[in-house]
Amino acid sequence: MGDAVELEVAGRTVRLSSPDKMFFPERGFTKLDLARYYIAVGPGILRALRDRPTTLERYPEGVNGENFFQKRAPKNMPDWIPTAHITFPSGRSADEMCPTEAGAVVWAAQFGTLTFHPWPVRRDDVDHPDELRIDLDPQPGTDYDDAARAAHELRAVLDEFGGLRGFPKTSGGRGLHVFVPIEPRWTFTQVRRAAIAVGREMERRMPEHVTIKWWKEERGERIFIDYNQTARDRTIASAYSVRPRPHAPVSAPLRWDEVGVAHPQDFDLATMPARFAELGDVHADMDDKRYSLEALLDLARRDEHDHGLGDLPYPPEYPKMPGEPRRVQPSRARKEKEPPTTP
């Protein structure tokens, strides 16, 4: 595996053991390649993670080995990496790492972290999100180009309801994410309600192409706007995170004029450093302005008052929430309502 090496990361020395361990056999990328990648894009991924409680998606033996999500801060984490105390929907809590310098990212890579999953909050206020995150998830029969088409309409919706500016990025797979920096004035429940309002407006505008239906049996060949990604303890891979696929793709921040032109396969562990060296972080100004959700929450209230469109189901592991409809598949609900057959 080779002798351990010491890497200088923005003034911090980080030790990397087994630098030659193969992490992506299909591409020949080692643990050292992973660490060097995160050094190359350090300012960008730090912008995405700074002060955010972050779950680590770890592959200690590389992409083809066992993996797990680590929410609690590792016991061997150095004292220069701060933490935040967060509470899960179950009522349990944990201290999660909150990167404040690029060395924390490389330190996590030393332990096989490929993907970083930050909460949409900062450690000084863990109950009020400062990002509205929209996940455009292609369903079977659809692809990235369909998600890109929906993203452009989403951009128009965001602008119409509050003059919101979204920042698009590839998921690293077939989908797209659009993040909106918001004022940290609303709860997770309210931010989720705003995401539902966005999804319903998108359904009205693109009914054949977009859905907000939670149950897979109802989605069809459409782009699913996963509103539950805004629920507490649901996270989305950060910008610049490496994704656990054989070709080592990364979640790439995009300019709007690149959406639908650039494709996910254009961005990987080998190509992103050159792009970053040329363009820098194309979302570098993401934290310059924060937006209000009032217009979207007004839309949500009108949807409920005028059309009877209230809350939608939460994921199965969540406790029953106030105002939530019955959490049961439509096909099962229909069977339950069917009268018994007579012999």
Side-chain angles (χ1 to χ4, degrees):
M1 296 297 182
D3 295 331
V5 298
E6 290 189 341
L7 302 173
E8 291 298 317
V9 190
R12 180 75 64 180
T13 299
V14 179
R15 184 177 183 275
L16 197 77
S17 64
S18 304
D20 298 329
K21 180 182 284 188
M22 191 59 61
F23 267 24
F24 291 91
E26 184 175 295
R27 300 292 302 278
F29 296 142
T30 64
K31 182 198 280 191
L32 181 58
D33 292 323
L34 177 69
R36 285 175 171 164
Y37 164 78
Y38 279 128
I39 293 173
V41 301
I45 192 165
L46 184 59
R47 187 266 310 154
L49 299 178
R50 189 188 301 276
D51 286 322
R52 297 190 183 281
T54 300
T55 297
L56 309 179
E57 186 176 357
R58 293 178 54 187
Y59 289 75
E61 301 304 319
V63 71
N64 294 330
E66 297 283 334
N67 73 288
F68 59 95
F69 288 82
Q70 181 156 3
K71 295 185 176 183
R72 298 181 183 276
K75 292 182 180 179
N76 62 341
M77 192 173 72
D79 57 12
W80 50 267
I81 301 177
T83 62
H85 194 72
I86 50 146
T87 303
F88 305 116
S90 64
R92 295 182 178 181
S93 62
D95 293 322
E96 286 204 0
M97 72 175 291
C98 298
T100 56
E101 54 183 279
V105 178
V106 178
W107 178 85
Q110 145 68 13
F111 296 97
T113 301
L114 299 186
T115 307
F116 296 82
H117 297 266
W119 282 49
V121 300
R122 308 282 181 168
R123 63 190 172 107
D124 61 350
D125 185 356
V126 297
D127 293 317
H128 296 91
D130 68 347
E131 287 180 348
L132 169 65
R133 298 173 173 181
I134 308 297
D135 181 9
L136 301 172
D137 185 9
Q139 300 303 290
T142 64
D143 57 20
Y144 176 82
D145 289 332
D146 296 306
R149 191 175 306 114
H152 283 292
E153 187 62 39
L154 171 61
R155 185 187 188 189
V157 169
L158 293 173
D159 182 63
E160 183 175 333
F161 290 92
L164 309 181
R165 179 185 176 191
F167 291 77
K169 69 181 184 70
T170 67
S171 67
R174 298 190 309 136
L176 271 166
H177 304 147
V178 178
F179 287 9
V180 179
I182 61 173
E183 300 166 2
R185 295 198 286 122
W186 296 276
T187 64
F188 278 93
T189 301
Q190 290 171 312
V191 174
R192 179 178 172 275
R193 196 76 175 89
I196 291 173
V198 169
R200 284 176 168 149
E201 182 64 21
M202 288 288 291
E203 274 188 330
R204 287 188 280 266
R205 298 185 183 203
M206 305 181 75
E208 301 301 318
H209 302 286
V210 170
T211 182
I212 200 172
K213 300 294 186 184
W214 175 246
W215 303 107
K216 290 183 179 180
E217 64 186 32
E218 295 187 303
R219 293 177 191 170
E221 295 184 1
R222 292 179 286 184
I223 299 298
F224 172 50
I225 296 182
D226 189 354
Y227 62 90
N228 269 329
Q229 289 291 23
T230 54
R232 179 185 287 271
D233 194 32
R234 283 298 180 99
T235 56
I236 294 178
S238 77
Y240 300 103
S241 272
V242 178
R243 305 314 309 275
R245 295 180 175 84
H247 59 294
V250 304
S251 179
L254 301 174
R255 301 184 304 254
W256 275 108
D257 61 4
E258 296 178 300
V259 175
V261 177
H263 281 76
Q265 59 267 29
D266 297 335
F267 309 105
D268 59 32
L269 192 147
T271 61
M272 180 56 82
R275 172 182 168 88
F276 195 89
E278 178 185 358
L279 301 177
D281 179 14
V282 298
H283 289 180
D285 62 340
M286 187 171 173
D287 292 329
D288 289 355
K289 181 178 179 180
R290 303 211 163 273
Y291 296 88
S292 171
L293 288 181
E294 290 296 350
L296 284 177
L297 292 174
D298 283 343
L299 175 62
R301 286 188 282 268
R302 290 198 302 273
D303 279 343
E304 184 163 15
H305 181 270
D306 298 342
H307 306 291
L309 300 174
D311 203 356
L312 290 174
Y314 275 78
E317 70 273 17
Y318 282 65
K320 183 70 173 178
M321 300 295 288
E324 181 189 1
R326 189 178 177 210
R327 201 180 297 174
V328 61
Q329 286 178 264
S331 58
R332 180 181 168 187
R334 286 193 295 271
K335 288 181 180 178
E336 290 175 355
K337 289 183 178 179
E338 290 176 358
T341 57
T342 54

